[in-house]
Amino acid sequence: MKPGLFITFEGIDGAGKSTHISALASAFQAAGKNVTLTREPGGTPLAEKLRVMVLNDAMDSLSESLLIFAARRDHLNAVILPALARGDVVLCDRFTDATFAYQGSGRGFDLRILQTLERWVQASADNTFVQPHLTVWFDLNPAEAAKRLAGARLPDRFEAQPVEFFTRVAQGYADRQQADPNRFAQIEAAQSVERVWQDVLGVFIRKGWLP
Ligand code: TYD
């Protein structure tokens, strides 16, 4: 096991992860930790180029999944694994659960192919399978998320999807949690920002990761 902490953040568009990810980065820094703050798809020059394509260019679900996993491989090798080896706290806005939720459940793409890609891409040099230590899942009703997103900005290929798509994505997250419940912390995101923050902070305090 690498010495650092690998923490990912998930939820449908509009669930409101961003504020809490930056607040956690500050909390870990205040506790004397080195924080690597990053996101997917993205996090390296190559992966950020792939992100622009995935979010904007029309393509089928296999191409979409391959580009996302290619971005993930580069991100793991260049950023995440070196940061964990240094002992950093890695806070990553989305990771492979998003691929199962969006490409798998949302788009209806073959989950067995995603499982194969997950095993290939998340094998590190010594052949251990890299998974987050913790995934914070901001769980929000898709209708409520749509209200929060309405008129916010020009939607990308995912944000432009109808509410039914996000209902499937939300189910995809629930399925991933059920398959690996110990990795997930489910946060009730339909509360005030302050209440959500208290819940998020509580998870980290109970794990002994923050004072
Ligand atoms: P998001 O993380 O919401 O960033 P921003 O806050 O800048 O909008 O946007 C990333 C989008 O990419 C989001 O709609 C989900 C989608 N996505 C996938 O479809 N599959 C994936 O594996 C990942 C990581 C993201």
Side-chain angles (χ1 to χ4, degrees):
M1 196 41 111
K2 303 280 189 282
L5 270 184
F6 182 23
I7 299 154
T8 61
F9 300 86
E10 298 285 357
I12 59 174
D13 289 273
K17 331 169 240 101
S18 311
T19 330
H20 303 292
I21 299 173
S22 11
L24 271 175
S26 306
F28 272 109
Q29 278 156 352
K33 301 283 184 198
N34 268 326
V35 174
T36 292
L37 190 59
T38 189
R39 68 165 179 187
E40 289 214 345
T44 68
L46 171 62
E48 290 291 332
K49 286 188 213 164
L50 294 171
R51 176 189 178 94
V52 174
M53 298 177 200
V54 166
L55 295 192
N56 299 292
D57 297 349
M59 64 185 77
D60 78 350
S61 306
L62 174 58
S63 302
E64 196 172 282
S65 302
L66 290 171
L67 292 185
I68 288 169
F69 271 113
R72 181 161 299 136
R73 179 74 180 175
D74 192 56
H75 188 211
L76 274 167
N77 285 340
V79 174
I80 296 175
L81 294 176
L84 292 174
R86 287 194 303 268
D88 280 19
V89 174
V90 176
L91 303 179
C92 187
D93 188 346
R94 300 191 186 281
F95 194 64
T96 301
D97 297 309
T99 317
F100 279 83
Y102 280 77
Q103 280 63 51
S105 302
R107 299 262 199 241
F109 186 65
D110 192 332
L111 295 177
R112 287 166 310 171
I113 296 178
L114 296 182
Q115 277 157 7
T116 301
L117 292 170
E118 179 185 36
R119 277 200 309 275
W120 286 354
V121 166
Q122 287 162 235
S124 68
D126 59 1
N127 229 10
T128 50
F129 182 57
V130 183
Q131 271 291 54
H133 297 99
L134 174 72
T135 298
V136 182
W137 172 32
F138 294 85
D139 186 22
L140 184 66
N141 175 300
E144 181 60 32
K147 261 191 268 167
R148 289 187 185 179
L149 277 184
R153 61 181 167 186
L154 202 62
D156 62 36
R157 286 177 66 233
F158 299 100
E159 290 162 344
Q161 294 291 321
V163 69
E164 298 75 33
F165 175 84
F166 290 102
T167 304
R168 294 196 298 276
V169 173
Q171 184 58 49
Y173 278 124
D175 294 344
R176 285 287 279 183
Q177 182 199 39
Q178 232 177 21
D180 192 3
N182 293 331
R183 177 164 63 82
F184 279 83
Q186 183 175 359
I187 300 292
E188 173 53 64
Q191 310 180 81
S192 68
V193 175
E194 183 51 31
R195 291 289 292 275
V196 172
W197 170 243
Q198 288 308 322
D199 287 357
V200 171
L201 195 56
V203 169
F204 286 82
I205 293 171
R206 281 195 298 281
K207 287 200 170 281
W209 293 346
L210 279 174

